[in-house]
Amino acid sequence: MDLNRKFLYEKQNRIIVEEFEEDSEEEFETENFSELIKYTFPGYIIGLMTGVLLDVYGYQRSPIGQWLVRTLAGEGESIFEGFYSVKQHFKPSAQTMAEAYGWGKLFGIAVPWVIDLGSRLAGVDVYGIEGFYIPYFYSLSDQIGANISGMLFLKRKEGTWDAAFERYIRHPVMLASLAVIFIVPLGLLSSRVLGFSPTTQTFTALEAIAANLCWIPPLVGWYVERKK
């Protein structure tokens, strides 16, 4: 009888320990992508409102105005996500993919500024077909940075590049990010070929918003988190 009670007691303890380990693992694997989704749309709204106001005051083709509108509409969420990453950095918990993702987006913000300025100085028609890549980098250079940062995060976590790559190609957020990076320039080029031109700041904002699909990877991450 005592042996049976002892066996049942040990079995119950094992079950409790296993459940605790599973809960801990699930908590560790939660990557907090839901926190990133909410940062996208404020940038859209602020960028569009800025574009409309600049048009009203006669700055339809102001290069500085375009820089501001594209930065807000195309990269506004990266600023907020950068703040999120800074906040998470000072927490005692281990770094998550979402935090690494946010750092990558923050570091990618200034890249399109250099590309835009260099293109204008080189005489590129920023309103024509040849200038389609400028809104692309405003809207997705941060996404490229996030993808690279995510890969580096996986390398640190897995220990080797081979293991990191295997994890990368199975990670839904990274794959969604990669798809966005390659699909968006085709859409921008097609729209320019069909005659669209950002001749007003409102059009500039709308083009940046349409190209800024950075909300898709965090949405995929949020969906995967909910499925756990």
Side-chain angles (χ1 to χ4, degrees), residues 175-187:
L175 294 180
S177 172
L178 194 63
V180 166
I181 289 170
F182 283 104
I183 291 173
V184 167
L186 298 177

Side-chain angles (χ1 to χ4, degrees), residues 11-168:
K11 185 176 181 181
Q12 288 173 345
N13 279 345
R14 282 199 302 270
I15 293 173
I16 292 171
V17 170
E18 288 172 358
E19 289 178 348
F20 175 78
E21 289 175 348
E22 288 175 0
D23 291 340
S24 299
E25 183 178 356
E26 288 178 1
E27 183 178 356
F28 177 78
E29 290 296 330
T30 299
E31 294 171 335
N32 298 325
F33 281 104
S34 58
E35 291 292 320
L36 301 185
I37 300 173
K38 62 186 179 183
Y39 297 132
T40 300
F41 296 101
Y44 287 174
I45 296 170
I46 296 171
L48 184 58
M49 290 176 60
T50 302
V52 171
L53 287 174
L54 287 171
D55 285 343
V56 169
Y57 286 101
Y59 296 100
Q60 288 89 346
R61 293 204 175 199
S62 166
I64 296 177
Q66 279 198 324
W67 163 78
L68 180 61
V69 169
R70 282 177 172 150
T71 297
L72 293 173
E75 302 186 290
E77 86 284 351
S78 298
I79 299 172
F80 294 118
E81 289 172 12
F83 290 149
Y84 166 80
S85 295
V86 171
K87 182 180 70 174
Q88 291 296 108
H89 180 71
F90 291 102
K91 289 186 176 181
S93 57
Q95 186 186 40
T96 64
M97 173 67 84
E99 182 184 343
Y101 198 81
W103 278 117
K105 296 191 74 174
L106 182 63
F107 291 141
I109 286 178
V111 173
W113 303 349
V114 177
I115 294 173
D116 189 1
L117 179 60
S119 298
R120 292 176 188 272
L121 293 176
V124 174
D125 180 8
V126 297
Y127 298 100
I129 296 174
E130 62 190 272
F132 82 96
Y133 62 88
I134 295 175
Y136 168 73
F137 282 107
Y138 269 101
S139 294
L140 290 181
S141 66
D142 53 355
Q143 186 66 215
I144 296 170
N147 201 278
I148 295 172
S149 182
M151 183 63 178
L152 294 175
F153 170 80
L154 293 176
K155 165 62 169 59
R156 289 195 302 271
K157 189 173 182 180
E158 299 298 327
T160 66
W161 284 110
D162 288 342
F165 181 73
E166 289 180 7
R167 180 77 180 276
Y168 179 96

